[in-house]
Amino acid sequence: MAVSSAQRFWGSAAAVAIVFSALVPVLFPFRALGMDRALERDHVWLLMVFTAGVMMMLFGASGLIAGKRSIGVRDVVDAGGVRQAIDRASEREERRAAYTSNAAVWTIVTGAMLLATYVALWVALR
């Protein structure tokens, strides 16, 4: 059975969010930071998952914003001018319009899934 690009996109984003959330309480260096694991585990767990989710969403959004006009000197020289290089970049973006091939969108989705995990953890640990 072949896996579609959408299944791979959503599945990998969910897998990363779940694995990260599961590993935080196990791999966090409580002892090295002088923290008591029993008392601080839930707070650290929630803080790490929330912070990672927000940071991933912001990082992905900055990639979307900055990626629209990503042209370099070589692009300008090859196209014969700045306007032509911008037009070529826009054409490339239109051809790659599928969200499943955009790393910035994947990063935003993974961050959103981490925030959803945070809410679920917050409700479960209250």
Side-chain angles (χ1 to χ4, degrees):
M1 182 174 148
V3 178
S4 73
S5 61
Q7 290 172 325
R8 189 171 36 253
F9 176 89
W10 291 99
S12 65
V16 168
I18 291 168
V19 168
F20 177 82
S21 299
L23 290 178
V24 165
V26 176
L27 298 178
F28 190 81
F30 290 97
R31 193 173 311 153
L33 295 173
M35 299 172 80
D36 182 12
R37 179 184 290 262
L39 294 175
E40 301 293 334
R41 185 186 69 116
D42 293 349
H43 297 281
V44 168
W45 197 1
L46 289 169
L47 179 64
M48 292 293 295
V49 171
F50 177 80
T51 304
V54 169
M55 292 301 292
M56 285 190 78
M57 289 182 70
L58 291 173
F59 185 69
S62 70
L64 277 180
I65 292 167
K68 293 297 182 190
R69 301 240 177 178
S70 58
I71 60 170
V73 174
R74 183 179 248 325
D75 297 321
V76 174
V77 171
D78 289 345
V82 174
R83 180 79 257 154
Q84 294 88 342
I86 291 172
D87 291 340
R88 281 187 183 180
S90 296
E91 290 171 8
R92 279 194 310 265
E93 286 296 321
E94 288 171 7
R95 279 187 257 128
R96 288 189 298 148
Y99 71 91
T100 58
S101 64
N102 192 329
V105 175
W106 182 87
T107 305
I108 292 170
V109 168
T110 304
M113 287 185 180
L114 279 169
L115 290 179
T117 304
Y118 162 78
V119 171
L121 284 170
W122 184 74
V123 169
L125 296 174
R126 264 193 336 174

